[in-house]
Amino acid sequence: MGIKVLVVDDSPTLRGQIARTLSDAYFDVVEASNGVDAFERLAKHPDIEFVVCDVDMPRMNGIEFLEKVNAGGSRVPILMLTTEGRPQIVQRARALGAKGWIVKPFKPDLLVAAIKKILGKA
């Protein structure tokens, strides 16, 4: 497929599972361990077309990352993939432009389908 996706999660195990799922679906994957790392990766890889991001992370959480991406004027679609499900957090993320929300544990086929749908490739 060739679409470059940034996967942001502080858990190396989960980040690896997400990266494998996406690689198996022919996405090119770049990984980041928190929001600070992710923001740096976006700057280094301007060809990133999609972001899958956790919420609860050290240094910069997913909501703070969304705020910083918006402040920078980026239009890259962001899907939140997290254990967090509180309605006020979901609403905040959506207000900041998150295109979707999936609660962990995730089903690989549903994650791939959600990304394709958001990108208009479904």
Side-chain angles (χ1 to χ4, degrees):
M1 184 170 274
I3 293 172
K4 190 174 280 190
V5 178
L6 175 61
V7 174
V8 189
D9 199 302
D10 60 318
S11 165
T13 304
L14 265 167
R15 194 171 60 243
Q17 289 173 346
I18 297 163
R20 273 190 306 282
T21 294
L22 298 181
S23 292
D24 289 349
Y26 305 104
F27 290 97
D28 294 330
V29 178
V30 175
E31 296 182 37
S33 59
N34 58 59
V36 172
D37 190 21
F39 200 74
E40 291 169 358
R41 297 273 194 270
L42 277 177
K44 286 181 186 175
H45 300 273
D47 56 339
I48 289 173
E49 296 180 60
F50 199 89
V51 178
V52 176
C53 187
D54 188 15
V55 170
D56 297 314
M57 298 178 290
R59 295 187 70 204
M60 181 190 295
N61 68 38
I63 300 299
E64 293 165 336
F65 173 72
L66 274 168
E67 289 172 340
K68 189 163 183 170
V69 167
N70 280 346
S74 175
R75 298 287 175 241
V76 64
I78 301 174
L79 171 74
M80 307 308 286
L81 177 63
T82 180
T83 57
E84 180 63 65
R86 289 180 289 166
Q88 64 270 30
I89 301 293
V90 176
Q91 289 170 355
R92 177 81 177 122
R94 290 213 188 269
L96 289 167
K99 300 298 182 193
W101 192 279
I102 295 177
V103 177
K104 296 175 190 172
F106 71 97
K107 291 185 168 73
D109 56 331
L110 294 180
L111 174 61
V112 171
I115 293 170
K116 287 181 177 178
K117 181 177 180 184
I118 292 166
L119 289 171
K121 310 277 186 193

